[in-house]
Amino acid sequence: MVINFNDEYILIFMSMKATAVANTNIALVKYWGKRNEELILPYNSSISVTLNNLFTITTVEFSKNLPHNEFVINNRLLNENEVEYSRIDNFSRIFKKLAGMDLNLKVVSKTNFPIASGLASSASAFAALAAAFNTALSLNLTYEELSKYARFGSGSASRSIYGGFVKWFKGEFDDGSDCFAKQIKDENYWPDFRILVCITSSKEKFVKSREAMHRTVKTSEFYDAWLQTVEKDLDEMEIAINNRDIRSLGLIAENNALKMHATMITSKPPIIYWNSATLKLIKSVLRLREEFKVNAYITIDAGHQVKIITTSDEIDRVKNYLSDIKEVEQFIVSSPGQGVKIVQEHLF
Ligand code: DP6
């Protein structure tokens, strides 16, 4: 059915409301740097795992009866002058254009983990928004299309559309038409895979990842070196996933994350996200591995939180060992999770 959104009668009676839940994802080979900042086109492809237990739930409604847009994020009504407001507004315009309408929009969204602190909250947030818009506006987009549009909210959101292990292809075309993610393996493929998320502080980070990425590309002499090694990391990561080889996967992911941080640390002015707990966690995991032969590997995004890659039979040992680090506010155990889904319970 083709809906004509200019038809007054349909607009009054149709409910253009939907709610979606999206899990966040952690990159095993990171996305770092954009070849086109407007179209959010990355310089390199990336591979991630979508996590259960860490999600955003979002209800959207387009309505003729709304006098203006209303965006409520984690119980806070956004002001029109805020960057987050413009990001959601601009993002919604893509979907309104696809649907051929321009109604005001209400968004209520909740994320169940600390936002803007290096835990990829924008990934789950924009994946949930994209899926909710798709359903509310009856756009019937495919997963690949959803991934492509989610990218405009935040690059990493393109991967949270899918569950399990996911690859986001950088694409070659200038218009970004070949830049979207695909699933490598679903969430049931590796049941023993675990990520231990260590919240070292729930405070917001001092430089947003978008700005950090931009500054690194422009000013770090190590950025080219980063790009030269990523393809190899991607190839080896896919092999490690295919073999369910936790040691290879962990070593590649850890090295890849540290290389990304090396480009940040060497940008001008430098971006150093780590706090003392971050550093203690890194050293403890290295010790766990070297002295006690435990399969545990770190990865860190643009922030101070540490994620530890391990398996179900090692997770308690890792957690017990790290519980001595008193600065860690919270440990969250996570496994490969599902892709985005539509639910029937709305937030308003
Ligand atoms: C370090 O997806 O938040 O987490 O596209 O500018 O919104 P924008 O960036 P974002 O960056 C994520 C960077 C990273 C690595 C990764 O998730 O691949």
Side-chain angles (χ1 to χ4, degrees), residues 25-34 37 40 44 46-48 87 118-123 126 151-159 168 205 208-211 213 260-261 264 300-303 307:
N25 70 79
I26 299 292
L28 302 171
V29 176
K30 310 291 185 191
Y31 144 52
W32 197 242
K34 298 181 184 71
E37 295 197 348
I40 319 280
N44 64 276
S46 53
I47 294 180
S48 61
R87 262 178 100 166
L119 267 178
S121 54
S122 58
F126 284 101
R151 186 189 91 215
F152 286 93
S154 198
S156 50
S158 65
R159 300 184 307 234
W168 176 25
K205 56 199 181 191
K208 303 259 186 223
S209 55
R210 187 157 286 192
E211 155 61 16
M213 211 181 272
M260 178 183 74
H261 280 271
M264 296 184 203
I300 308 168
D301 288 303
K307 297 96 188 187

Side-chain angles (χ1 to χ4, degrees), residues 167-269:
K167 182 169 182 180
W168 176 25
F169 294 85
K170 65 181 164 78
E172 300 296 335
F173 302 142
D174 287 344
D175 67 356
S177 54
D178 57 347
C179 181
F180 50 81
K182 284 185 184 181
Q183 188 175 62
I184 300 176
K185 299 284 181 194
D186 73 16
E187 59 274 20
N188 303 314
Y189 169 73
W190 196 339
D192 300 336
F193 188 91
R194 294 288 179 278
I195 295 249
L196 179 66
V197 178
C198 312
I199 309 286
T200 65
S201 163
S202 43
K203 286 201 192 105
E204 290 202 6
K205 56 199 181 191
F206 65 105
V207 186
K208 303 259 186 223
S209 55
R210 187 157 286 192
E211 155 61 16
M213 211 181 272
H214 173 81
R215 194 187 302 172
T216 307
V217 173
K218 291 280 173 270
T219 66
S220 172
E221 279 145 356
F222 284 6
Y223 188 70
D224 281 345
W226 155 262
L227 281 184
Q228 278 165 32
T229 67
V230 177
E231 280 304 320
K232 183 166 167 278
D233 288 354
L234 289 163
D235 290 346
E236 290 180 1
M237 181 57 74
E238 282 202 60
I239 296 170
I241 293 170
N242 283 333
N243 294 335
R244 292 193 186 86
D245 177 352
I246 193 72
R247 185 175 154 75
S248 299
L249 182 148
L251 288 173
I252 302 160
E254 185 175 282
N255 180 256
N256 183 269
L258 294 174
K259 281 187 295 200
M260 178 183 74
H261 280 271
T263 69
M264 296 184 203
I265 293 167
T266 49
S267 67
K268 296 161 198 157

Side-chain angles (χ1 to χ4, degrees), residues 36-236:
N36 182 325
E37 295 197 348
E38 207 180 317
L39 299 179
I40 319 280
L41 300 177
Y43 270 117
N44 64 276
S45 301
S46 53
I47 294 180
S48 61
V49 56
T50 299
L51 300 183
N52 66 2
N53 300 340
L54 295 151
F55 62 86
T56 299
I57 176 164
T58 301
T59 300
V60 305
E61 184 173 29
F62 296 91
S63 169
K64 255 182 99 68
N65 305 325
L66 274 173
H68 47 73
N69 287 333
E70 207 181 307
F71 304 154
V72 181
I73 309 299
N74 288 329
N75 302 316
R76 196 174 71 79
L77 178 66
L78 299 185
N79 182 304
E80 264 185 47
N81 306 321
E82 291 182 65
V83 179
E84 285 84 356
Y85 182 100
S86 313
R87 262 178 100 166
I88 298 171
D89 190 28
N90 292 339
F91 191 60
S92 71
R93 286 176 198 281
I94 299 171
F95 295 86
K96 287 186 195 181
K97 199 172 165 199
L98 287 171
M101 56 74 108
D102 193 18
L103 292 177
N104 283 332
L105 164 69
K106 177 167 177 175
V107 174
V108 175
S109 182
K110 287 187 177 162
T111 293
N112 78 335
F113 56 91
I115 60 170
S117 60
L119 267 178
S121 54
S122 58
S124 53
F126 284 101
L129 259 184
F133 288 153
N134 180 39
T135 300
L137 298 174
S138 308
L139 293 171
N140 295 321
L141 299 172
T142 63
Y143 276 85
E144 284 181 7
E145 286 169 329
L146 262 186
S147 168
K148 201 185 299 174
Y149 290 119
R151 186 189 91 215
F152 286 93
S154 198
S156 50
S158 65
R159 300 184 307 234
S160 269
I161 298 298
Y162 305 92
F165 295 86
V166 179
K167 182 169 182 180
W168 176 25
F169 294 85
K170 65 181 164 78
E172 300 296 335
F173 302 142
D174 287 344
D175 67 356
S177 54
D178 57 347
C179 181
F180 50 81
K182 284 185 184 181
Q183 188 175 62
I184 300 176
K185 299 284 181 194
D186 73 16
E187 59 274 20
N188 303 314
Y189 169 73
W190 196 339
D192 300 336
F193 188 91
R194 294 288 179 278
I195 295 249
L196 179 66
V197 178
C198 312
I199 309 286
T200 65
S201 163
S202 43
K203 286 201 192 105
E204 290 202 6
K205 56 199 181 191
F206 65 105
V207 186
K208 303 259 186 223
S209 55
R210 187 157 286 192
E211 155 61 16
M213 211 181 272
H214 173 81
R215 194 187 302 172
T216 307
V217 173
K218 291 280 173 270
T219 66
S220 172
E221 279 145 356
F222 284 6
Y223 188 70
D224 281 345
W226 155 262
L227 281 184
Q228 278 165 32
T229 67
V230 177
E231 280 304 320
K232 183 166 167 278
D233 288 354
L234 289 163
D235 290 346
E236 290 180 1

